[in-house]
Amino acid sequence: IIATGSIWIAFLLHRLFYSNPVLNLFSVFILWLPFEFELYETSIDTELPITFAMIILVFYSIYFIFSNQNNDFFDSYRLSLSDFKIAVTGFIMLVLTIVPIGIGIGFLNFNLFEPSVGFFLNSLLVGYFLVALPEELLFRYLMTKLLHPFINRQSLLLIVTAVIFGLAHLNNQAIGFNLNWGYAGLATIAGLGYGWVFFRTNKVAAAALTHMLINFTWALFFNSPY
């Protein structure tokens, strides 16, 4: 009920008032925040983050179908060799930054294991299409467009979207009411890297590629959840 209500409220706000930047921004928070506070439920018996992906992609579709912002819809998914190089460069820079900091603050610890075929499929395919891509659609693509009427400088947009992305991770792997500031800090740094790739390429798919590679590295060397 909460998920359905949030989608319809976001839909109506954006459909009726898409020329109003304040209500546009408000509509995406209406859709996203209930998920962030785990108010959405799904009857699907799966460990995959299907609910998150579906909700963000629904809003993404609403945003472009019922607004005047759809000129670059397909361009954001056409990756050139140059886009791949920038995405990989962003990944390397983030690894060289995040890993030493993460180990230094005790957030990251090497946890090597023997990966299965399922691990690679889940980390690469599911990790890209149902985790990295939906999150980049929200935190880089939509947030950038919705905040642009209020923030004209690209560098400031990069920082603000990265901070929002970092704060969204405060309750990840948190124990009780203790917020996970280490996770949020590293996620903010990661957000800066994803944003750099996004602004360099103007491709949400490129930022999602960097995002997926970071998640894959974490799962393979540090978290090993599968």
Side-chain angles (χ1 to χ4, degrees):
I1 294 176
I2 294 175
T4 303
S6 298
I7 290 172
W8 274 104
I9 292 173
F11 169 83
L12 291 173
L13 279 176
H14 189 76
R15 179 67 183 92
L16 298 175
F17 305 104
Y18 63 79
S19 61
N20 187 314
V22 175
L23 290 180
N24 271 335
L25 187 61
F26 183 59
S27 66
V28 76
F29 280 103
I30 284 179
L31 191 66
W32 166 51
L33 288 179
F35 164 81
E36 192 61 37
F37 289 103
E38 300 180 347
L39 299 180
Y40 291 144
E41 294 181 357
T42 176
S43 59
I44 302 174
D45 186 17
T46 176
E47 296 180 356
L48 301 180
I50 291 177
T51 305
F52 186 26
M54 288 178 63
I55 290 170
I56 300 307
L57 289 173
V58 164
F59 185 79
Y60 180 70
S61 301
I62 293 170
Y63 183 79
F64 283 97
I65 291 172
F66 297 105
S67 74
N68 297 321
Q69 307 288 338
N70 55 359
N71 295 328
D72 56 354
F73 181 87
F74 294 106
D75 288 341
S76 199
Y77 296 92
R78 296 192 180 106
L79 296 183
S80 65
L81 180 59
S82 175
D83 296 328
F84 276 103
K85 289 180 179 179
I86 292 173
V88 173
T89 299
F91 162 69
I92 294 172
M93 290 192 303
L94 283 176
V95 167
L96 294 176
T97 304
I98 290 176
V99 171
I101 295 176
I103 293 175
I105 65 175
F107 181 82
L108 295 177
N109 295 287
F110 283 105
N111 187 20
L112 302 180
F113 75 119
E114 185 176 347
S116 64
V117 174
F119 166 81
F120 284 102
L121 290 176
N122 198 44
S123 297
L124 297 176
L125 296 180
V126 175
Y128 183 82
F129 290 105
L130 291 183
V131 179
L133 188 57
E135 289 193 4
E136 292 310 303
L137 286 173
L138 171 62
F139 291 104
R140 244 58 59 185
Y141 200 93
L142 283 178
M143 283 295 183
T144 296
K145 286 187 173 295
L146 294 173
L147 288 170
H148 189 265
F150 309 97
I151 305 173
N152 291 323
R153 293 176 54 190
Q154 189 178 94
S155 58
L156 188 55
L157 266 176
L158 173 64
I159 294 171
V160 170
T161 53
V163 169
I164 294 174
F165 181 70
L167 292 176
H169 290 74
L170 270 175
N171 60 340
N172 289 30
Q173 298 185 1
I175 302 175
F177 294 100
N178 296 321
L179 299 178
N180 199 331
W181 290 102
Y183 200 157
L186 293 177
T188 300
I189 296 173
L192 291 172
Y194 306 153
W196 177 82
V197 172
F198 174 71
F199 284 121
R200 283 290 303 273
T201 63
N202 200 30
K203 306 287 179 65
V204 69
L209 177 59
T210 305
H211 192 151
M212 181 273 290
L213 290 173
I214 287 293
N215 287 351
F216 173 72
T217 301
W218 179 25
L220 183 60
F221 294 106
F222 300 100
N223 198 32
S224 309
Y226 307 112

